[in-house]
Amino acid sequence: MDINILNGKKHIHFIGIGGSGMYPLAQILHGQGYYLTGSDNNETETLDAVRKMGIPVYIGQRAENIEGADLIVHTAAIMADNPELVAAKASGVPVLERADLLGIVTSWYENAICVSGTHGKTSTTSMITQILYTAGIDLSAYIGGKLPCIGGSGIAGKSDILVCESCEFEDHFLKFFPDIAVVLNVDADHLDYFGSLENIIKSFRKFNGNTTKCIIINGSDENSMKSLEGVDGKEIITFGKDSSCDYYPENIRHENDLLTTYDAMYKGEKLGTISLNVVGVHNVLNSLAAIAAARYVGVGFEFIQKGLSDFRGAKRRFEKLGYEKGITVVDDYAHHPTELKAVLTAAMDMSFNKVWAVFQPFTFSRTKLLLDDFAEVLQIPDHAVLTDIMGSREKNTYGIFTRHLAEKLPDCIWFPQDEEAEWTDERKYFNFQQVCDYICENAQEGDLVITLGCGDAYKIAKMVLKKLAEN
C-alpha cells in the first residue's frame, strides 16, 4: 500500500458514505480540506449529518456518481458487481477499501492511539476521546459510534494525536500504523475469516508487533497476554481486575442503576476516585484502559476524572432512547455472546421488574458458529425476543435461521417466517412490527426493553416508544 497515494489528490468519492466506518473517515478528510462526494442506497440520519457538512450525497449507486473524483474509497460490504465500484475500477482512478485509507490516515500522526479488542472498542475509543477533548487537546478521532462532544464519530484536529478504533475484521487493523496500541481483550469472533481462536491471537500478535512505542493491554485476559508472545522492543502497560496489573480498580460501588464509582489504582498507589455514568464492570476495565492511554500522552488525572464523569456513553452503547407508560427503552450494539453477557448481566443487576431482550442476530456465519453460546447468554434476561437474522454482507449458505436459535431457548418469543421467501425491506419491517406489537402488549410498568445487535434493531426500540406513546 502506497501511504503517499493521497498526495496531489483533491476530490475523494465515498461509495457507501453513510456506513459506520465511512462517516468518521469522511469527517476527518473533510476537516483536512479534501473535497468529498458520496453515495448510499438509503436515506439515514447519518446522511443528513454528511450533507450538513456540505458534502454532496447521491442516493442510489450509479456509474456516473464517480465523475471528477481522483480517488475512490469503498466499504468492504460493497459487492464486487456494484455498478459504482465496477465503474471505479474501470476508470483508472485509484480505488481503496476503507481500511486501506484509514491506515494511511493513521500514518500521519506521531501519537496514533489505536484501540483494538474483540469487545469494547467503541466505548473505550470514545472514553479516550472524551478525556482528551476535556483536557483541551486538539485531537483527531475515528470512532465506530457517535460521540456528542465532537459532534459525530470523527474529527480532524491540529495536534499530533489520533485516537482510532481499530477492528480486527479481516485483519483490517494490520493496515494501521499504531504508535500506542490498546488491546482490550481477544475472543473468538469472525471465525468465518480466522477459522480458529489461535489465528485470531496470531493476528493480534502482528498488530502488537506493528506498534512503535507502547502496548496497553488487558493483563487479566489470557488470550490478550498470549498475543504479546515474541513481541519485544515496546513499553508494556497492563490494566485489569487486580493488583497483578499496573492499573486496576478497588472499592467498586454501584451508587444507582447508572452510576458506578471506583478507586483507580496504579502500582499500589491510589490515583483518585472515578465516577462512570455507564453500566457494567466491563466498562470499569474499559475506563482503566482509557486512563492508561491518557496518562501515557501526558493528560493530568484531574482531566481524566472530569472526562470520564462527563462521558455518557457512545451512541448505541446502553443508550436510553425513552420512557413511556413506565417502561424504559434502551438500545445496545452488543452482537457477540460475550458482549451480550456483559450487557444483559448489567441490566439484570438493575432494579427493573423484568428485562425484555430483543435480539437481532447479525450475519449467518456468526449465528451458526456461535449458536450454543448465543443460546446460553440469551437465557440471562427474563424474556428473550428474536428477530430474523440480518445477513448483511453474507448469503445464507449456512442454512441457519432464527428458529435454530429459538429452539434452544426455553419460552423464547419469535415469529416464524417463510424461510424460502425473498428477503425484502417490507418483510423485515413486518417482522419488526410483529416484535413491536408483542412487546407493547406484554411489557409492564417498571420493565426494561433493550434492543440488541449491530444491525438495525434500534428501529424496533423507536417503534415501541411510538406505539406506547400513541396508546
Side-chain angles (χ1 to χ4, degrees):
M1 181 174 61
D2 180 8
I3 64 171
N4 298 311
I5 197 170
L6 268 74
N7 290 356
K9 302 295 187 297
K10 297 179 180 179
H11 176 183
I12 303 174
H13 180 75
F14 281 62
I15 305 175
I17 197 167
S20 61
M22 295 284 264
Y23 173 48
L25 190 53
Q27 286 184 290
I28 291 174
L29 292 168
H30 177 75
Q32 293 283 358
Y34 290 94
Y35 174 70
L36 305 185
T37 56
S39 67
D40 221 308
N41 283 324
N42 300 295
E43 290 286 359
T44 62
E45 293 176 2
T46 299
L47 292 189
D48 291 340
V50 170
R51 289 190 181 101
K52 286 177 182 176
M53 293 161 58
I55 298 173
V57 177
Y58 307 104
I59 296 298
Q61 290 168 343
R62 298 175 294 273
E64 57 266 28
N65 292 347
I66 69 169
E67 290 179 8
D70 46 22
L71 182 72
I72 298 163
V73 59
H74 65 95
T75 70
I78 298 295
M79 297 294 186
D81 60 355
N82 180 286
E84 207 162 309
L85 182 58
V86 170
K89 290 183 175 179
S91 68
V93 172
V95 179
L96 292 177
E97 200 274 318
R98 176 202 60 86
D100 293 307
L101 183 55
L102 180 57
I104 292 167
V105 170
T106 64
S107 73
W108 296 347
Y109 297 85
E110 292 296 320
N111 286 292
I113 304 171
C114 293
V115 181
S116 72
T118 313
H119 321 292
K121 293 183 293 292
T122 298
S123 293
T124 307
T125 307
S126 298
M127 287 178 181
I128 298 170
T129 300
Q130 181 92 47
I131 291 168
L132 300 186
Y133 179 88
T134 300
I137 294 172
D138 189 17
L139 77 157
S140 299
Y142 174 97
I143 309 172
K146 295 175 183 177
L147 182 64
C149 74
I150 64 170
S153 49
I155 189 172
K158 295 182 173 61
S159 75
D160 65 355
I161 296 177
L162 167 72
V163 185
C164 179
E165 183 170 333
S166 308
C167 185
E168 76 278 7
F169 174 70
E170 293 189 352
D171 281 329
H172 285 174
F173 66 168
L174 298 186
K175 300 176 180 181
F176 298 177
F177 294 84
D179 299 297
I180 301 137
V182 178
V183 181
L184 299 169
N185 41 63
V186 180
D187 202 351
D189 197 11
H190 306 301
L191 293 175
D192 55 319
Y193 173 79
F194 288 107
S196 69
L197 176 59
E198 186 54 42
N199 286 337
I200 298 172
I201 294 171
K202 287 178 182 177
S203 188
F204 274 86
R205 190 173 294 133
K206 291 177 184 176
F207 175 73
N208 289 333
N210 291 342
T211 303
T212 62
K213 296 179 181 178
C214 171
I215 301 169
I216 298 168
I217 194 163
N218 187 344
S220 298
D221 181 59
E222 181 181 354
N223 293 332
S224 295
M225 295 308 289
K226 284 182 180 178
S227 75
L228 282 180
E229 293 172 3
V231 177
D232 52 26
K234 333 286 181 187
E235 181 177 352
I236 306 297
I237 299 172
T238 59
F239 67 93
K241 298 176 180 178
D242 54 44
S243 59
S244 64
C245 302
D246 297 324
Y247 289 89
Y248 59 96
E250 285 189 351
N251 302 319
I252 298 175
R253 302 172 295 280
H254 301 289
E255 306 289 342
N256 56 47
D257 282 347
L258 293 175
L259 177 65
T260 298
T261 63
Y262 70 90
D263 296 332
M265 307 295 293
Y266 176 67
K267 295 185 176 180
E269 172 194 356
K270 178 181 173 180
L271 298 174
T273 300
I274 295 295
S275 296
L276 291 178
N277 290 284
V278 288
V279 301
V281 175
H282 59 290
N283 274 316
V284 171
L285 292 181
N286 292 340
S287 68
L288 286 167
I291 291 169
R295 291 190 79 211
Y296 185 82
V297 295
V299 177
F301 192 74
E302 67 276 12
F303 291 113
I304 292 172
Q305 286 176 302
K306 186 172 190 318
L308 288 174
S309 177
D310 289 346
F311 180 67
R312 293 297 189 276
K315 193 172 180 65
R316 300 214 60 207
R317 271 65 182 181
F318 214 89
E319 179 185 10
K320 183 177 178 179
L321 297 182
Y323 179 82
E324 285 289 345
K325 304 296 189 293
I327 298 169
T328 302
V329 180
V330 167
D331 176 63
D332 197 277
Y333 195 75
H335 57 281
H336 183 280
T338 302
E339 296 164 351
L340 290 169
K341 182 178 181 180
V343 171
L344 292 173
T345 300
M348 291 295 288
D349 285 342
M350 297 178 183
S351 56
F352 296 102
N353 291 337
K354 300 290 184 182
V355 174
W356 296 78
V358 179
F359 177 55
Q360 180 189 47
F362 188 80
T363 72
F364 303 111
S365 60
R366 181 185 286 117
T367 308
K368 174 76 171 182
L369 295 167
L370 301 177
L371 187 66
D372 289 339
D373 296 324
F374 280 120
E376 181 180 348
V377 299
L378 286 168
Q379 294 181 56
I380 293 172
D382 299 292
H383 304 284
V385 186
L386 303 180
T387 76
D388 285 347
I389 299 170
M390 184 173 185
S392 184
R393 57 188 175 269
E394 295 180 343
K395 294 182 180 179
N396 193 3
T397 58
Y398 298 85
I400 185 78
F401 299 97
T402 296
R403 65 177 167 85
H404 294 112
L405 178 55
E407 288 164 359
K408 291 177 174 287
L409 288 168
D411 303 318
C412 173
I413 299 102
W414 66 291
F415 299 91
Q417 305 291 336
D418 179 357
E419 294 172 354
E420 302 302 321
E422 180 183 357
W423 181 262
T424 63
D425 288 341
E426 289 78 14
R427 175 182 165 183
K428 180 172 69 171
Y429 179 79
F430 178 67
N431 182 230
F432 281 11
Q433 191 65 58
Q434 289 175 303
V435 172
C436 170
D437 292 346
Y438 186 90
I439 291 292
C440 290
E441 290 165 8
N442 291 278
Q444 302 292 318
E445 182 177 347
D447 288 357
L448 169 70
V449 175
I450 178 168
T451 51
L452 298 151
C454 61
D456 56 358
Y458 64 89
K459 293 177 181 177
I460 299 173
K462 294 181 178 180
M463 291 165 68
V464 165
L465 285 169
K466 185 171 184 277
K467 182 163 185 172
L468 288 174
E470 290 171 350
N471 289 344

